[in-house]
Amino acid sequence: MNYMDSLGIAIDGGRYVRIDSSINDLYRTVRLRTIRVGQDSAKLDFYVFRKKGPVVRKSVLLKGLSQNGDTSTELTLKVERRSFAVWEITARKPDGTVEDIRVRTGIGLWPLIIAAVALLLFGGWLLFRLVGGDSPVVSSPVSTVSEITEKIEPAETPQLIESEPIETPAPQFPTQTIVYFRPESAKLSNAAMAELKTLAGLIPEGIGIEISGHCANYGTERGRRVLSRVRADAVADYLSGLIPFSVSIDVKGYGGSRPLNRDSELQDVNRRVEINLSGDGG
Amino acid sequence: MPSIFPPVIMAAMGQRGELYSTRIFIDDGQKTFFFNVKENRYHDLYLNIVESRKSDRGFKRTSLVVFDDDIDRFMIVLERTMNEIRRRKGSPEETLTVGGGRREYILRMPPRGKPALQLTEKREDATGYRRESLIIPVDSFDIFLEGLGKAVSALKNA
């Protein structure tokens, strides 16, 4: 899972740019929210929203952005999941140097508990197989490795079977992209438009596209449904204009019925439009 | 509504319920446009434009619908937009709303790729919209209009 974004910024000092770029999986959302721009530097603020637990904030200061007195530059950001709990954000500066930021997303204890239980069950099953497996109760307890190995019948020599390598082609396009909106607004931000432009270049011909709009849990049910539909239609209209081939797009408005987060302070993540691509459309 | 076609002809071309059908081939046969005149269960006549194209995973079909009440306005907007694209006059975009706002046609030139007409039908359903977009390359406008014209004549005479 990775996400790339190019941000053009003016480094003339004292500016504060609000950005809404994010990447998420089942457990958390990593979001670039703000860029504070200095004379020759930019400070990027990332937030990690989790389903449970506090919001984690991570900042990084990039220096040496000005090239030959230029007052504008471009940063290329890449977010990659390094492990289950650690995401790495790479910022490539215009001079080619790279800054690494590691974000520990803190996924809680449940996965560790589940892994420990699974390990215990597997160990028990392995022991059961080693001592014969006829009865769950070991009638003649063994105490040494040699006693255990004596009880193991010689296994048949494994035979190599030649077979065609199994190919599982990974999709060459992002199956889901999310763009975010400001409260009570269906206007596409510059970041959203840039994201949709990138996406349009990756969509292959013959793909099925479903665009679903969502909104925060405020206002009336009818108002939420209308706003979510208008948001989805704004994305569909912009995206379809960028696709140079025939395409079918399903546009849905789900209102606030499918929130990503029910916390009243984290409703920003619900103000979104999801673009789902599947290989069976067309 | 009585049909202008004898039953034998209707049976031959009516596997999908068409009253009339014609087709054109473009892009060296890679893409086929079908122009079908059909009747729905409420006896409303409509024109079904279907683009069928070859892909790695078989044929892909995209289709849009124009009812006979809207066909004249649709043809005017279509020909006007095609002429503007031919003349490379800016970035033409036309919108035609019909059916009390439940159906909309958007005609524009895609900003990327070869000059072409992107013909989009946006129709409302219970949960949202369905958008079907066809791409007609500028060098195929004449043959497209020829096939469409035949179907429109059949629609008006049906």
Side-chain angles (χ1 to χ4, degrees), chain A residues 233 240-241 246 249-251 282, chain B residues 51 61 111 118 122 130-131:
Chain A
D233 201 43
S240 68
S246 305
I249 303 176
D250 277 317
V251 184
Chain B
E51 183 196 294
R61 294 168 72 90
Q118 183 185 49
K122 186 173 130 185
R130 172 92 175 163
R131 298 177 70 108

Side-chain angles (χ1 to χ4, degrees), chain B residues 70-83:
Chain B
D70 310 318
I71 196 72
D72 288 334
R73 284 192 294 158
F74 176 81
M75 289 301 291
I76 289 169
V77 172
L78 178 75
E79 287 177 11
R80 189 164 61 209
T81 314
M82 281 181 162
N83 284 337

Side-chain angles (χ1 to χ4, degrees), chain B residues 10-52:
Chain B
M10 282 185 65
M13 65 173 128
Q15 290 185 356
R16 294 170 191 253
E18 296 96 346
L19 304 177
Y20 174 84
S21 183
T22 185
R23 61 186 170 175
I24 61 163
F25 302 97
I26 64 169
D27 288 352
D28 298 327
Q30 294 294 306
K31 197 186 271 190
T32 309
F33 280 104
F34 295 89
F35 303 96
N36 304 318
V37 176
K38 295 185 179 182
E39 188 178 40
N40 69 12
R41 57 184 164 167
Y42 305 111
H43 304 296
D44 295 324
L45 287 169
Y46 62 94
L47 173 67
N48 181 209
I49 304 172
V50 182
E51 183 196 294
S52 175

Side-chain angles (χ1 to χ4, degrees), chain A residues 212-257:
Chain A
S212 56
H214 306 267
C215 59
N217 195 17
Y218 295 112
T220 63
E221 170 68 28
R222 180 180 159 77
R224 288 195 293 269
R225 204 162 280 278
V226 169
L227 178 59
S228 65
R229 191 183 284 193
V230 173
R231 279 176 176 167
D233 201 43
V235 169
D237 194 51
Y238 188 74
L239 187 64
S240 68
L242 298 172
I243 299 175
F245 46 79
S246 305
V247 69
S248 299
I249 303 176
D250 277 317
V251 184
K252 309 282 184 195
Y254 290 111
S257 62

